[in-house]
Amino acid sequence: MKGQKRSANDIHAALTDDILHEILLRLPEKSVFSFILVSKRWLRVICSSSFRKDYHARWRINFHLLGFFVCNHLYLGRSKHGIRRPPSERALHLLSTCEEGDNLLVSGIPKQLGYFIDSSNGLLLFGRHPMTYSVWNPITKQLCRLPQPQQYYKSLCIAFFSVTEECFDDIIHYKVIRARCDCRRDEVNTVSIETFSSVTGTWKHYTLTCSSTFALRPWAVATVISGVIYWFATQGNLAIYDPRLGDRRIVLLKLPDGKISQDYDECVLGEAPDGLLQYGQSSTSGMEIWVLAREGNSFSSNLQSQNRWNLRYKLSFKAMWKQNPDCAKNSKEAQILSFLPQNSEYVFIRAGWNIFLFHLKSRRLTLIPYLGRDSSIQWDDSQVMPYFRPSWPHSCLCP
């Protein structure tokens, strides 16, 4: 027995951190997570930022749904004499879908930070437009109150995203971009933006130029894929900005025209597993989903000729309810709610206060149970946004 124990200890000692790192990279996520119980050393290796980065480069990232934030557009960027939120209505609504979501509510911290704006890689952006913003990391409990922006925008839209290439340590770095929405009668081809970087801790002002006249849609939140920012613009356009190119320009792309969803009420953007852009829109009749097929690694001024929208899915809501009679009992008018992160198999659909997970291939609906609904939520004036967190363990043993 002593010889066997000594042999096991020798094998464990021979496993250096580098060798252990390479072995664990070849195992599925479920197995890797079970090995955090082997020892403190294994826990430290698995939870390190270097291993997480290498593992995500090799395997697909999994995300865990914590709930849905409800954001009322009536109070965003409220003017001095605009609509005030009644005391009976909470500033922050989180429809929790799991214990972690419940703990997020119990912590009480989000309630002190204003309204929910957006999330990225588990980080949460709160604030009160147009000058007060905070970023909170629920895992590390770290709160950063951003300095006041230099520019005042009466109407604006936001982009919030983590910057993986700047993660020199275990801290998630991020950027916040405020873009002015100037829907004036006189046509303009420029837009003023301010960018905050957690690395520098400061705001920087830029002016972006487009080859055509345009205006961004007010109070919209951008979708960011591999550092490229996609904003909804007016007149059925998509405004695309890649800050990595350094040329400070915006390119416009016409959104596709639907058939059953031509007079659409809701439209959403998302990332497909292969990194392509997904676009979905819905009307009272049904929904349609497209994927943007790209040629080349960057966007150019002749975007329309180099890229095309491919219709991927079309659904009649009437047929959906007929195929899912149990879900149709208390349902109201349906609309597409959101894509799932890096997922082309499912979408969220909302019907009144009911939220469903819809499988595109089988056309099956699954009702998502949640806590936190109350009578003060104004569903018709609110946007419901899912909150996901990467399902990766965190340890205080990691520096």
Side-chain angles (χ1 to χ4, degrees):
M1 291 296 295
K2 290 183 178 179
Q4 293 178 355
K5 185 175 181 180
R6 188 182 301 111
S7 178
N9 290 336
D10 292 341
I11 295 175
H12 189 268
L15 286 175
T16 64
D17 287 358
D18 291 340
I19 295 177
L20 183 60
H21 183 113
E22 291 300 320
I23 293 175
L24 293 174
L25 280 179
R26 290 159 172 77
L27 300 178
E29 187 178 89
K30 187 176 181 180
S31 300
V32 172
F33 288 178
S34 65
F35 287 141
I36 64 176
L37 302 176
V38 173
S39 67
K40 290 183 177 179
R41 176 168 163 253
W42 285 48
L43 172 65
R44 174 177 52 78
V45 171
I46 293 173
C47 294
S48 66
S49 59
S50 59
F51 179 76
R52 180 177 66 245
K53 182 178 180 180
D54 291 345
Y55 193 88
H56 287 167
R58 187 183 183 99
W59 296 77
R60 178 179 171 182
I61 304 174
N62 288 325
F63 295 86
H64 178 49
L65 177 66
L66 272 67
F68 298 86
F69 281 100
V70 182
C71 183
N72 193 325
H73 292 290
L74 294 176
Y75 314 128
L76 284 177
R78 180 183 62 83
S79 61
K80 184 177 181 181
H81 302 290
I83 301 176
R84 291 185 176 273
R85 178 176 53 85
S88 59
E89 183 178 348
R90 289 183 293 170
L92 182 69
H93 289 278
L94 174 61
L95 311 178
S96 173
T97 57
C98 64
E99 185 178 354
E100 290 178 85
D102 297 341
N103 295 336
L104 189 63
L105 275 178
V106 172
S107 68
I109 294 181
K111 296 180 181 179
Q112 307 170 17
L113 304 177
Y115 298 98
F116 169 80
I117 298 176
D118 198 10
S119 65
S120 176
N121 201 27
L123 300 179
L124 291 166
L125 175 65
F126 296 100
R128 292 179 174 85
H129 289 312
M131 302 296 283
T132 305
Y133 303 98
S134 299
V135 174
W136 186 49
N137 187 334
I139 297 178
T140 63
K141 311 302 180 185
Q142 184 179 9
L143 173 65
C144 177
R145 298 185 184 273
L146 275 59
Q148 193 172 83
Q150 302 171 2
Q151 305 292 319
Y152 177 83
Y153 300 145
K154 185 177 180 180
S155 296
L156 57 88
C157 53
I158 284 283
F160 175 53
F161 55 102
S162 58
V163 189
T164 55
E165 61 267 22
E166 294 181 3
C167 291
F168 305 112
D169 43 34
D170 204 37
I171 300 174
I172 302 176
H173 296 291
Y174 55 87
K175 288 186 178 180
V176 179
I177 299 180
R178 304 164 67 247
R180 181 178 180 179
C181 299
D182 198 355
C183 301
R184 298 179 298 180
R185 290 185 179 180
D186 53 320
E187 297 180 339
V188 295
N189 67 336
T190 60
V191 61
S192 171
I193 70 168
E194 262 194 309
T195 300
F196 174 84
S197 170
S198 63
V199 176
T200 62
T202 58
W203 293 92
K204 286 188 177 181
H205 175 257
Y206 303 98
T207 298
L208 306 182
T209 305
C210 183
S211 59
S212 306
T213 57
F214 76 104
L216 299 177
R217 190 183 300 179
W219 313 120
V221 175
T223 295
V224 183
I225 300 177
S226 300
V228 180
I229 300 167
Y230 302 88
W231 274 305
F232 284 119
T234 57
Q235 300 180 346
N237 288 315
L238 193 65
I240 304 173
Y241 168 50
D242 190 346
R244 301 168 303 175
L245 298 179
D247 51 7
R248 300 180 187 176
R249 62 186 173 90
I250 275 186
V251 178
L252 295 184
L253 175 66
K254 197 72 176 178
L255 291 170
D257 293 323
K259 293 184 178 180
I260 63 174
S261 62
Q262 187 172 11
D263 299 323
Y264 61 90
D265 302 311
E266 286 293 327
C267 55
V268 295
L269 298 170
E271 181 181 2
D274 52 6
L276 296 178
L277 178 69
Q278 300 182 109
Y279 170 70
Q281 65 183 32
S282 66
S283 66
T284 55
S285 301
M287 71 174 181
E288 291 169 288
I289 296 174
W290 293 264
V291 175
L292 180 62
R294 289 180 52 183
E295 295 183 9
N297 296 323
S298 61
F299 293 102
S300 60
S301 57
N302 58 340
L303 193 59
Q304 301 290 350
S305 60
Q306 290 188 350
N307 302 270
R308 66 184 184 277
W309 291 105
N310 293 330
L311 180 63
R312 181 173 159 265
Y313 193 80
K314 182 167 61 175
L315 171 73
S316 164
F317 285 143
K318 185 177 180 180
M320 180 188 73
W321 293 127
K322 187 176 181 180
Q323 188 170 344
N324 299 270
D326 293 340
C327 297
K329 292 180 180 178
N330 301 315
S331 65
K332 295 184 178 181
E333 187 175 294
Q335 63 183 36
I336 187 171
L337 177 64
S338 172
F339 290 105
L340 281 70
Q342 302 175 12
N343 191 305
S344 296
E345 299 178 4
Y346 295 88
V347 294
F348 288 120
I349 290 178
R350 182 169 75 88
W353 56 76
N354 292 319
I355 300 176
F356 300 94
L357 183 65
F358 181 70
H359 188 251
L360 298 177
K361 187 175 182 179
S362 66
R363 298 195 173 190
R364 290 295 179 184
L365 284 171
T366 302
L367 180 65
I368 299 179
Y370 63 80
L371 299 175
R373 178 170 66 89
D374 60 48
S375 58
S376 69
I377 298 179
Q378 301 182 41
W379 295 97
D380 293 338
D381 299 317
S382 300
Q383 183 178 8
V384 182
M385 304 173 68
Y387 172 47
F388 288 93
R389 197 160 70 194
S391 55
W392 197 263
H394 175 80
S395 172
C396 61
L397 296 177
C398 299

